[in-house]
Protein backbone atom coordinates (compact mmCIF):
# COMPACT_ATOMS: atom_id res chain seq x y z
CA UNK A 1 0.00 0.00 0.00
CA UNK A 2 1.25 3.49 -0.88
CA UNK A 3 2.41 5.70 2.02
CA UNK A 4 -0.25 8.33 1.28
CA UNK A 5 -2.96 5.65 1.21
CA UNK A 6 -1.76 4.36 4.57
CA UNK A 7 -1.86 7.90 5.96
CA UNK A 8 -5.44 8.37 4.76
CA UNK A 9 -6.48 5.00 6.21
CA UNK A 10 -4.87 5.74 9.60
CA UNK A 11 -6.36 9.25 9.84
CA UNK A 12 -9.86 8.18 8.79
CA UNK A 13 -9.80 5.28 11.29
CA UNK A 14 -8.71 7.72 14.01
CA UNK A 15 -11.54 10.14 13.12
CA UNK A 16 -14.12 7.34 13.20
CA UNK A 17 -12.95 6.19 16.64
CA UNK A 18 -13.02 9.74 18.00
CA UNK A 19 -16.45 10.25 16.44
CA UNK A 20 -18.15 7.08 17.70
CA UNK A 21 -17.02 7.19 21.35
CA UNK A 22 -19.22 10.19 22.34
CA UNK A 23 -22.15 7.73 22.29
CA UNK A 24 -20.55 5.84 25.17
CA UNK A 25 -19.60 9.13 26.83
CA UNK A 26 -23.25 10.18 26.79
CA UNK A 27 -24.22 6.90 28.45
CA UNK A 28 -21.61 7.35 31.23
CA UNK A 29 -22.96 10.86 31.94
CA UNK A 30 -26.34 9.27 32.65
CA UNK A 31 -24.60 7.04 35.20
CA UNK A 32 -23.06 9.91 37.18
CA UNK A 33 -19.91 10.73 35.21
CA UNK A 34 -19.03 14.15 33.77
CA UNK A 35 -16.54 15.79 31.41
CA UNK A 36 -13.72 16.13 33.98
CA UNK A 37 -14.12 12.53 35.15
CA UNK A 38 -14.13 11.18 31.61
CA UNK A 39 -11.08 13.20 30.58
CA UNK A 40 -9.16 12.05 33.67
CA UNK A 41 -9.96 8.35 33.32
CA UNK A 42 -9.67 8.45 29.53
CA UNK A 43 -6.01 9.29 29.95
CA UNK A 44 -5.24 7.29 33.12
CA UNK A 45 -6.85 3.96 32.19
CA UNK A 46 -4.85 3.59 29.00
CA UNK A 47 -1.45 3.84 30.74
CA UNK A 48 -1.35 0.24 32.15
CA UNK A 49 -2.46 -1.11 28.74
CA UNK A 50 0.33 0.77 26.99
CA UNK A 51 2.94 -0.17 29.61
CA UNK A 52 2.08 -3.85 29.12
CA UNK A 53 2.13 -3.49 25.33
CA UNK A 54 5.50 -1.74 25.39
CA UNK A 55 6.92 -4.43 27.67
CA UNK A 56 5.71 -7.22 25.37
CA UNK A 57 7.03 -5.48 22.26
CA UNK A 58 10.24 -4.56 24.12
CA UNK A 59 9.81 -0.88 23.34
CA UNK A 60 12.26 1.09 25.53
CA UNK A 61 10.64 3.34 28.11
CA UNK A 62 13.56 5.74 28.22
CA UNK A 63 13.06 9.23 26.83
CA UNK A 64 15.59 12.05 26.53
CA UNK A 65 15.11 15.32 28.37
CA UNK A 66 14.19 17.03 25.09
CA UNK A 67 11.62 14.35 24.25
CA UNK A 68 10.08 14.65 27.73
CA UNK A 69 9.75 18.42 27.37
CA UNK A 70 8.10 17.95 23.97
CA UNK A 71 5.70 15.35 25.38
CA UNK A 72 4.71 17.67 28.23
CA UNK A 73 4.42 20.73 25.99
CA UNK A 74 2.46 19.11 23.18
CA UNK A 75 0.51 16.72 25.43
CA UNK A 76 -0.45 18.86 28.42
CA UNK A 77 -0.33 22.40 27.00
CA UNK A 78 -2.07 21.52 23.76
CA UNK A 79 -3.93 18.17 23.88
CA UNK A 80 -5.13 18.13 27.51
CA UNK A 81 -5.98 21.83 27.44
CA UNK A 82 -8.00 21.27 24.26
CA UNK A 83 -10.22 18.66 25.92
CA UNK A 84 -10.59 20.73 29.08
CA UNK A 85 -11.54 23.98 27.30
CA UNK A 86 -13.92 22.25 24.87
CA UNK A 87 -15.78 20.46 27.67
CA UNK A 88 -15.82 23.66 29.74
CA UNK A 89 -17.32 25.62 26.84
CA UNK A 90 -20.40 23.35 26.96
CA UNK A 91 -21.44 25.13 30.16
CA UNK A 92 -21.82 28.46 28.34
CA UNK A 93 -22.89 27.62 24.78
CA UNK A 94 -24.67 24.65 23.28
CA UNK A 95 -22.71 21.53 22.39
CA UNK A 96 -23.55 22.06 18.71
CA UNK A 97 -22.15 25.61 18.65
CA UNK A 98 -19.06 24.66 20.69
CA UNK A 99 -18.31 21.65 18.50
CA UNK A 100 -18.75 23.74 15.34
CA UNK A 101 -16.26 26.33 16.59
CA UNK A 102 -13.82 23.61 17.71
CA UNK A 103 -13.82 22.01 14.26
CA UNK A 104 -12.37 25.19 12.81
CA UNK A 105 -9.01 23.71 13.86
CA UNK A 106 -8.08 22.56 10.31
CA UNK A 107 -8.10 26.24 9.27
CA UNK A 108 -5.79 27.15 12.17
CA UNK A 109 -3.59 24.12 11.43
CA UNK A 110 -3.20 25.16 7.78
CA UNK A 111 -2.47 28.78 8.77
CA UNK A 112 0.05 27.69 11.40
CA UNK A 113 1.87 25.43 8.94
CA UNK A 114 1.85 28.22 6.34
CA UNK A 115 3.02 31.04 8.62
CA UNK A 116 5.46 29.16 10.86
CA UNK A 117 6.84 26.58 8.41
CA UNK A 118 6.15 28.18 4.99
CA UNK A 119 4.14 25.12 3.94
CA UNK A 120 2.35 25.64 0.62
CA UNK A 121 -1.32 24.72 0.62
CA UNK A 122 -2.05 24.74 -3.09
CA UNK A 123 -5.39 25.50 -4.74
CA UNK A 124 -6.81 21.98 -4.22
CA UNK A 125 -6.08 21.82 -0.49
CA UNK A 126 -7.34 25.38 0.02
CA UNK A 127 -10.61 24.55 -1.77
CA UNK A 128 -11.03 21.37 0.29
CA UNK A 129 -10.35 23.28 3.49
CA UNK A 130 -12.95 25.95 2.68
CA UNK A 131 -15.47 23.30 1.63
CA UNK A 132 -14.95 21.28 4.82
CA UNK A 133 -15.31 24.41 6.94
CA UNK A 134 -18.60 25.22 5.20
CA UNK A 135 -19.74 21.68 6.00
CA UNK A 136 -18.90 22.12 9.67
CA UNK A 137 -20.88 25.39 9.81
CA UNK A 138 -23.95 23.38 8.74
CA UNK A 139 -23.78 21.60 12.13
CA UNK A 140 -24.10 24.87 14.05
CA UNK A 141 -26.97 25.06 16.52
CA UNK A 142 -27.76 28.75 17.25
CA UNK A 143 -30.29 27.74 19.92
CA UNK A 144 -27.37 26.99 22.22
CA UNK A 145 -26.69 30.71 22.69
CA UNK A 146 -23.63 32.85 22.05
CA UNK A 147 -22.10 33.48 25.47
CA UNK A 148 -18.77 35.24 24.94
CA UNK A 149 -16.85 33.06 27.41
CA UNK A 150 -18.10 29.85 25.81
CA UNK A 151 -17.20 31.07 22.32
CA UNK A 152 -13.70 32.06 23.44
CA UNK A 153 -13.17 28.68 25.10
CA UNK A 154 -14.37 26.75 22.03
CA UNK A 155 -12.21 28.81 19.64
CA UNK A 156 -9.25 28.47 21.99
CA UNK A 157 -9.71 24.68 21.94
CA UNK A 158 -9.49 24.82 18.13
CA UNK A 159 -6.24 26.81 18.33
CA UNK A 160 -4.63 24.50 20.89
CA UNK A 161 -5.66 21.39 18.92
CA UNK A 162 -4.10 22.86 15.78
CA UNK A 163 -0.92 23.39 17.83
CA UNK A 164 -1.12 19.74 18.94
CA UNK A 165 -1.43 18.46 15.37
CA UNK A 166 1.36 20.74 14.14
CA UNK A 167 3.56 19.74 17.08
CA UNK A 168 3.06 16.06 16.24
CA UNK A 169 4.13 16.81 12.65
CA UNK A 170 6.96 19.31 13.01
CA UNK A 171 8.84 18.05 16.09
CA UNK A 172 10.81 14.93 17.06
CA UNK A 173 7.54 13.38 18.31
CA UNK A 174 6.77 12.53 14.68
CA UNK A 175 9.45 9.83 14.69
CA UNK A 176 8.81 8.51 18.22
CA UNK A 177 7.03 5.20 18.73
CA UNK A 178 3.25 5.95 18.79
CA UNK A 179 2.69 3.69 21.84
CA UNK A 180 5.40 5.49 23.80
CA UNK A 181 3.95 8.88 22.88
CA UNK A 182 0.43 7.81 23.89
CA UNK A 183 1.70 6.31 27.17
CA UNK A 184 3.60 9.39 28.35
CA UNK A 185 0.90 11.78 27.16
CA UNK A 186 -1.81 9.75 28.92
CA UNK A 187 0.11 9.83 32.20
CA UNK A 188 0.95 13.54 31.92
CA UNK A 189 -2.58 14.52 30.93
CA UNK A 190 -4.16 12.50 33.76
CA UNK A 191 -1.82 14.21 36.25
CA UNK A 192 -2.66 17.63 34.78
CA UNK A 193 -6.41 16.95 35.05
CA UNK A 194 -5.97 15.84 38.66
CA UNK A 195 -4.17 19.09 39.51
CA UNK A 196 -6.76 21.21 37.70
CA UNK A 197 -9.52 19.42 39.63
CA UNK A 198 -8.12 20.24 43.09
CA UNK A 199 -10.06 23.53 43.35
CA UNK A 200 -13.03 22.35 41.26
CA UNK A 201 -13.69 18.93 42.88
CA UNK A 202 -15.56 17.65 39.82
CA UNK A 203 -13.88 14.28 39.23
CA UNK A 204 -16.09 11.41 40.42
CA UNK A 205 -13.80 8.61 41.64
CA UNK A 206 -16.54 6.05 42.36
CA UNK A 207 -18.66 5.18 39.36
CA UNK A 208 -20.91 2.15 38.71
CA UNK A 209 -19.04 -0.83 37.17
CA UNK A 210 -20.86 -0.40 33.86
CA UNK A 211 -19.81 3.25 33.66
CA UNK A 212 -16.20 2.27 34.39
CA UNK A 213 -16.36 -0.38 31.65
CA UNK A 214 -17.65 2.13 29.11
CA UNK A 215 -14.98 4.61 30.23
CA UNK A 216 -12.27 1.96 29.76
CA UNK A 217 -13.54 1.24 26.23
CA UNK A 218 -13.45 4.99 25.48
CA UNK A 219 -9.89 5.19 26.84
CA UNK A 220 -8.64 2.29 24.70
CA UNK A 221 -10.41 3.57 21.57
CA UNK A 222 -9.29 7.20 21.92
CA UNK A 223 -6.17 7.68 24.06
CA UNK A 224 -4.62 4.47 22.72
CA UNK A 225 -5.87 3.53 19.24
CA UNK A 226 -7.10 6.87 17.86
CA UNK A 227 -4.11 8.87 19.11
CA UNK A 228 -1.62 6.36 17.72
CA UNK A 229 -3.45 6.18 14.38
CA UNK A 230 -3.58 9.97 14.14
CA UNK A 231 0.16 10.21 14.80
CA UNK A 232 0.85 7.68 12.03
CA UNK A 233 -1.53 9.53 9.73
CA UNK A 234 0.20 12.86 10.37
CA UNK A 235 3.56 11.19 9.73
CA UNK A 236 2.44 10.16 6.22
CA UNK A 237 0.23 13.11 5.24
CA UNK A 238 1.41 16.12 7.21
CA UNK A 239 -0.64 18.05 9.76
CA UNK A 240 -2.70 20.23 7.40
CA UNK A 241 -3.88 17.36 5.15
CA UNK A 242 -4.52 15.04 8.13
CA UNK A 243 -6.63 17.80 9.71
CA UNK A 244 -8.98 17.78 6.71
CA UNK A 245 -9.45 13.99 6.86
CA UNK A 246 -10.01 14.32 10.62
CA UNK A 247 -13.14 16.33 9.82
CA UNK A 248 -14.86 13.00 9.19
CA UNK A 249 -15.12 12.82 12.99
CA UNK A 250 -18.31 14.94 13.27
CA UNK A 251 -19.92 12.78 10.55
CA UNK A 252 -19.17 9.65 12.61
CA UNK A 253 -20.49 11.44 15.71
CA UNK A 254 -23.76 12.48 14.03
CA UNK A 255 -24.36 9.06 12.47
CA UNK A 256 -23.60 7.13 15.68
CA UNK A 257 -25.92 9.42 17.64
CA UNK A 258 -28.65 8.84 15.07
CA UNK A 259 -28.15 5.04 15.00
CA UNK A 260 -27.55 4.28 18.69
CA UNK A 261 -29.22 7.17 20.56
CA UNK A 262 -32.09 7.87 18.11
CA UNK A 263 -30.99 11.50 17.81
CA UNK A 264 -32.61 13.67 15.14
CA UNK A 265 -31.00 13.94 11.70
CA UNK A 266 -32.18 17.32 10.34
CA UNK A 267 -31.49 18.51 6.81
CA UNK A 268 -28.64 20.83 7.87
CA UNK A 269 -26.68 17.91 9.37
CA UNK A 270 -27.21 15.76 6.30
CA UNK A 271 -26.01 18.67 4.13
CA UNK A 272 -22.98 19.16 6.39
CA UNK A 273 -22.03 15.48 6.07
CA UNK A 274 -22.30 15.62 2.27
CA UNK A 275 -20.23 18.80 2.02
CA UNK A 276 -17.44 17.38 4.23
CA UNK A 277 -17.40 14.18 2.17
CA UNK A 278 -17.08 16.39 -0.91
CA UNK A 279 -14.05 18.12 0.64
CA UNK A 280 -12.42 14.77 1.35
CA UNK A 281 -13.12 13.70 -2.24
CA UNK A 282 -11.37 16.88 -3.48
CA UNK A 283 -8.24 16.05 -1.46
CA UNK A 284 -8.21 12.47 -2.75
CA UNK A 285 -8.63 13.68 -6.36
CA UNK A 286 -5.85 16.28 -5.98
CA UNK A 287 -3.44 13.70 -4.54
CA UNK A 288 -4.29 11.20 -7.30
CA UNK A 289 -3.73 13.83 -9.99
CA UNK A 290 -0.41 14.82 -8.40
CA UNK A 291 0.72 11.19 -8.36
CA UNK A 292 -0.28 10.71 -12.00
CA UNK A 293 1.63 13.85 -12.98
CA UNK A 294 4.71 12.70 -11.07
CA UNK A 295 4.49 9.24 -12.69
CA UNK A 296 4.20 10.86 -16.14
CA UNK A 297 7.27 13.00 -15.54
CA UNK A 298 9.22 9.99 -14.31
CA UNK A 299 8.20 8.02 -17.41
CA UNK A 300 9.28 10.88 -19.66
CA UNK A 301 12.72 11.01 -17.99
CA UNK A 302 13.31 7.28 -18.47
CA UNK A 303 12.35 7.29 -22.16
Amino acid sequence: MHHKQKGVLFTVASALLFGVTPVLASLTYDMGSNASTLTFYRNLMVVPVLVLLMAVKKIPFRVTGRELLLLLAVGVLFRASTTFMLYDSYQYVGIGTATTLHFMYPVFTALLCRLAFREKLGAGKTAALLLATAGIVCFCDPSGGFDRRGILLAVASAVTYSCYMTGMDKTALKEMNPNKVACYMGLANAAAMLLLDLPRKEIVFRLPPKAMLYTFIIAVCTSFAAVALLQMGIRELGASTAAIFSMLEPIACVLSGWIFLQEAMPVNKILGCLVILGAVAVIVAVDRRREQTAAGLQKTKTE
Side-chain angles (χ1 to χ4, degrees):
M1 188 183 289
H2 193 274
H3 288 299
K4 282 280 180 84
Q5 292 174 330
K6 284 184 179 179
V8 171
L9 183 62
F10 293 149
T11 309
V12 169
S14 171
L16 293 177
L17 285 172
F18 276 128
V20 171
T21 49
V23 170
L24 290 178
S26 177
L27 295 175
T28 64
Y29 289 176
D30 293 337
M31 300 176 196
S33 186
N34 55 47
S36 296
T37 303
L38 184 61
T39 305
F40 170 69
Y41 278 120
R42 194 178 98 172
N43 285 285
L44 183 66
M45 283 181 161
V46 79
V47 174
V49 177
L50 288 165
V51 168
L52 181 61
L53 185 64
M54 288 173 66
V56 170
K57 289 189 172 183
K58 297 182 179 179
I59 300 169
F61 288 88
R62 184 179 177 276
V63 293
T64 64
R66 182 168 175 267
E67 287 174 337
L68 184 60
L69 285 175
L70 281 172
L71 285 164
L72 290 174
V74 177
V76 177
L77 291 182
F78 298 144
R79 188 175 141 214
S81 63
T82 294
T83 306
F84 180 76
M85 288 189 293
L86 179 60
Y87 284 154
D88 205 32
S89 70
Y90 294 161
Q91 299 181 65
Y92 308 101
V93 293
I95 291 177
T97 300
T99 303
T100 300
L101 293 171
H102 171 70
F103 273 98
M104 301 298 286
Y105 74 79
V107 176
F108 294 122
T109 303
L111 288 174
L112 189 56
C113 289
R114 180 72 183 92
L115 296 174
F117 302 98
R118 303 298 178 186
E119 184 178 299
K120 293 183 179 180
L121 294 178
K125 188 183 288 187
T126 302
L129 193 62
L130 292 173
L131 196 59
T133 303
I136 289 297
V137 172
C138 291
F139 291 106
C140 188
D141 178 18
S143 63
F146 290 94
D147 185 279
R148 183 179 299 175
R149 184 173 177 180
I151 290 172
L152 287 175
L153 283 167
V155 172
S157 77
V159 173
T160 52
Y161 197 67
S162 71
C163 292
Y164 165 71
M165 293 199 74
T166 306
M168 293 299 293
D169 181 30
K170 305 297 184 183
T171 69
L173 295 179
K174 182 176 181 178
E175 302 304 325
M176 281 183 68
N177 182 281
N179 294 322
K180 182 188 287 189
V181 171
C183 182
Y184 277 96
M185 280 192 178
L187 188 60
N189 293 348
M193 283 303 301
L194 199 59
L195 288 173
L196 284 171
D197 189 63
L198 289 176
R200 298 163 68 98
K201 305 293 184 184
E202 291 182 352
I203 294 178
V204 180
F205 292 99
R206 298 183 67 179
L207 289 171
K210 196 171 184 179
M212 293 299 284
L213 174 61
Y214 286 168
T215 304
F216 178 74
I217 294 171
I218 293 169
V220 172
C221 287
T222 56
S223 296
F224 168 39
V227 168
L229 287 166
L230 180 59
Q231 181 186 348
M232 291 187 287
I234 291 173
R235 183 184 296 171
E236 302 295 344
L237 299 174
S240 57
T241 302
I244 295 173
F245 281 103
S246 292
M247 294 180 89
L248 290 171
E249 181 182 333
I251 295 180
C253 188
V254 167
L255 289 176
S256 59
W258 177 58
I259 294 169
F260 297 108
L261 300 178
Q262 288 76 52
E263 293 181 349
M265 180 68 81
V267 175
N268 64 306
K269 288 187 177 181
I270 295 173
L271 180 61
C273 291
L274 293 174
V275 172
I276 292 172
L277 288 173
V280 171
V282 168
I283 283 291
V284 172
V286 168
D287 282 343
R288 185 171 296 175
R289 185 175 179 181
R290 188 181 293 121
E291 289 173 4
Q292 289 174 346
T293 302
L297 290 172
Q298 185 66 30
K299 185 178 180 181
T300 302
K301 288 180 181 179
T302 56
E303 289 178 350

